[in-house]
Amino acid sequence: MDHFLYRDGSLHAEDVPLTEIAAAVGTPVYVYSAATLLRHYRLFDEALAWGPHLVCYAVKAASNVAILKLLGDAGAGMDVVSEGEYRRARAAGVPGDRIVFSGVGKTEGEMRHVLAGGVRQINLESEPEMRLLSRVAAEMGVEVPVTVRVNPDVDAKTHEKIATGRSENKFGIPIARAREVYAEIDRLPGLRVVGIDVHIGSQLTDLDPFRQAYRKVAQLTGALRADGHAIERLDLGGGLGIPYARSNLAPPVPQEYGAVIREEVGHLGCEVEIEPGRLIAGNAGLLLASTIYVKEGEGRDFLILDAAMNDLIRPAMYGAHHDIVTVAEPAAGTETRPYDIVGPVCETGDTFAKAREMPQIKARDLVAFRSAGAYGAVMASEYNARPLVPEVLVQGSDWAVIRPRPSYEEMILREAIPQWLSAG
Ligand code: LLP
């Protein structure tokens, strides 16, 4: 459930008409609902209430500091994958002991930064990384809590670009080699084993792959404990999918996911961490756009929007579906017609939908891309020299710009013409 509903004939974000935001900020713009973000975070928190746990929001999904502040103040931990994300979480007031540092290629500089600032744990992804972290921690005179991300070789049954738990993927250490790796950690200075980490992919709509992976983690917990390691924390990753099309069968909800976790690892007495991103932010945000032209084509009409692939890359990159709705509520029984919905960028891939049935649309009509809160604004670029898309947060009847649209001057003045080019 989200808080984007039609009221008085017009789509609202909580109590704010989207027309008001479009008029004040312009389009395209991302709009987030605070009530929806908090609701989704709390669903996970409640789903794990049967035992000690921490819901670490995957910052990569939507990393605006205002969103991190909202979730952090509600008690969320954070899962970060770079120094930039770590700094964002800290800037939002999240204490280091609630921040988990994940990621395949942590650099020495990043390690030093988070060790100095404080971190709950570092999830190791490879042996070279483990050895480097040991050296860095020992040099800094600290002992860092670590887990090893194991690759359980489970098919997540999701899009190939976002599946991470097969042996051919670059992520983690093969689960069969985990005991050796944990044994080496014990011999290295500066590292203290606290648990195991696993993450098998994103937009999972079936609980079975989670169950298989968690069962393997439970078995490994037993084996590692028998080897003398203190496994007290299990980081079970993120990945629970969301309904992108209202017409689809809804994927399992956090409560059902929490029940699977309890069944598979609940008996181990470990603190459970999870790292959901998409389910918290996805349906808590939409991308608001305006129609520039309606162009008649050969056998089809094109809706040319002022949002483009640089603002929302998911359709171009993953062939992803986003529901696109008019901000003006269509009257009951309104006839629809098929449109190809595209952006102004000079690539055929800048297509959001083909033959999408929509009510008749005219220039300047506002439309909203639903389910765009996760992996939307964070993946935006300035391709075609289109200024970075702004973001707005709504809470009740309040709203604020949380990332302004840069001016063209700002965009151009970030760059520099070298002396030797400007001299002549
Ligand atoms: N933990 C780790 C280690 C991850 O790699 C990810 C996502 C998450 C947690 C959060 O997963 P979530 O709960 O959001 O599914 N850009 C793609 C999605 C990439 C996901 C990358 N990793 C998309 O737009 O679909």
Side-chain angles (χ1 to χ4, degrees), residues 54-60 76-83 85-86 89-90 94-103 106 114 118-124 145-147 194 196-198 233-237 271-275:
L54 184 66
V55 177
C56 296
Y57 169 65
V59 169
K60 62 169 78 69
M78 301 279 150
D79 169 61
V80 304
V81 293
S82 66
E83 181 173 335
E85 288 190 352
Y86 178 86
R90 294 307 306 262
V94 181
D97 63 11
R98 269 198 268 144
I99 303 178
V100 171
F101 189 19
S102 305
K106 304 173 196 80
V114 306
V119 68
R120 176 179 175 83
Q121 96 215 10
I122 295 188
N123 295 336
L124 296 169
V146 295
T147 73
V194 292
I196 307 173
D197 172 42
V198 71
R233 233 180 246 179
L234 298 178
D235 181 338
L236 301 176
E271 177 171 13
V272 169
E273 296 167 346
I274 53 171
E275 305 169 345

Side-chain angles (χ1 to χ4, degrees), residues 58 60-61 79 81 102-103 125 149 161-162 164 171 197 199 201-204 237-240 244 275-279 314 318 374-375 379:
K60 62 169 78 69
D79 169 61
V81 293
S102 305
E125 293 240 10
R149 176 168 176 182
K161 285 192 185 159
I162 52 176
T164 57
F171 301 95
D197 172 42
H199 170 79
S202 194
Q203 185 54 16
L204 272 68
L240 192 59
Y244 274 100
E275 305 169 345
R278 189 189 311 265
L279 201 143
R314 303 193 67 260
Y318 314 109
Y375 308 112
M379 294 178 81

Side-chain angles (χ1 to χ4, degrees), residues 47-51 206-219 221 234 236 252-270 272 274:
L48 297 178
W50 47 265
D206 181 353
L207 291 175
D208 196 53
F210 286 119
R211 189 182 285 287
Q212 286 176 41
Y214 298 165
R215 191 163 295 177
K216 290 188 178 187
V217 167
Q219 284 160 1
T221 303
L234 298 178
L236 301 176
V253 295
Q255 198 61 38
E256 298 167 277
Y257 172 65
V260 166
I261 295 177
R262 184 178 198 170
E263 282 160 33
E264 298 301 333
V265 306
H267 58 286
L268 298 170
C270 288
V272 169
I274 53 171

Side-chain angles (χ1 to χ4, degrees), residues 104-347:
V104 191
K106 304 173 196 80
T107 64
E108 178 167 346
E110 289 181 315
M111 291 173 181
R112 285 187 187 279
H113 184 81
V114 306
L115 289 183
V119 68
R120 176 179 175 83
Q121 96 215 10
I122 295 188
N123 295 336
L124 296 169
E125 293 240 10
S126 70
E127 287 152 291
E129 181 185 62
M130 161 183 92
R131 292 174 198 134
L132 176 61
L133 182 64
S134 164
R135 177 169 66 71
V136 171
E139 275 173 24
M140 292 176 72
V142 296
E143 194 178 55
V144 51
V146 295
T147 73
V148 174
R149 176 168 176 182
V150 293
N151 185 325
D153 196 20
V154 164
D155 183 357
K157 297 187 208 142
T158 184
H159 191 286
E160 57 164 303
K161 285 192 185 159
I162 52 176
T164 57
R166 292 309 296 272
S167 55
E168 67 260 33
N169 301 135
K170 67 179 173 182
F171 301 95
I173 283 170
I175 197 161
R177 299 209 28 245
R179 292 174 73 180
E180 261 176 73
V181 174
Y182 276 87
E184 181 171 350
I185 294 179
D186 261 0
R187 294 193 296 271
L188 290 172
L191 307 181
R192 180 166 58 87
V193 166
V194 292
I196 307 173
D197 172 42
V198 71
H199 170 79
I200 57 173
S202 194
Q203 185 54 16
L204 272 68
T205 52
D206 181 353
L207 291 175
D208 196 53
F210 286 119
R211 189 182 285 287
Q212 286 176 41
Y214 298 165
R215 191 163 295 177
K216 290 188 178 187
V217 167
Q219 284 160 1
L220 180 62
T221 303
L224 292 177
R225 282 179 171 168
D227 291 347
H229 302 286
I231 304 299
E232 56 210 33
R233 233 180 246 179
L234 298 178
D235 181 338
L236 301 176
L240 192 59
I242 62 170
Y244 274 100
R246 308 265 129 177
S247 49
N248 281 4
L249 202 62
V253 295
Q255 198 61 38
E256 298 167 277
Y257 172 65
V260 166
I261 295 177
R262 184 178 198 170
E263 282 160 33
E264 298 301 333
V265 306
H267 58 286
L268 298 170
C270 288
E271 177 171 13
V272 169
E273 296 167 346
I274 53 171
E275 305 169 345
R278 189 189 311 265
L279 201 143
I280 292 179
N283 282 325
L286 47 75
L287 173 62
L288 186 59
S290 175
T291 310
I292 307 178
Y293 299 114
V294 183
K295 169 168 156 178
E296 275 180 41
E298 293 273 316
R300 65 190 67 207
D301 286 352
F302 292 99
L303 279 191
I304 303 174
L305 302 182
D306 62 359
M309 64 191 289
N310 68 297
D311 304 306
L312 176 66
I313 192 94
R314 303 193 67 260
M317 191 154 172
Y318 314 109
H321 171 99
H322 285 266
D323 277 355
I324 304 170
V325 297
T326 54
V327 168
E329 184 173 19
T334 302
E335 281 192 20
T336 63
R337 49 187 304 170
Y339 289 103
D340 280 12
I341 305 178
V342 303
V345 159
C346 302
E347 287 201 32

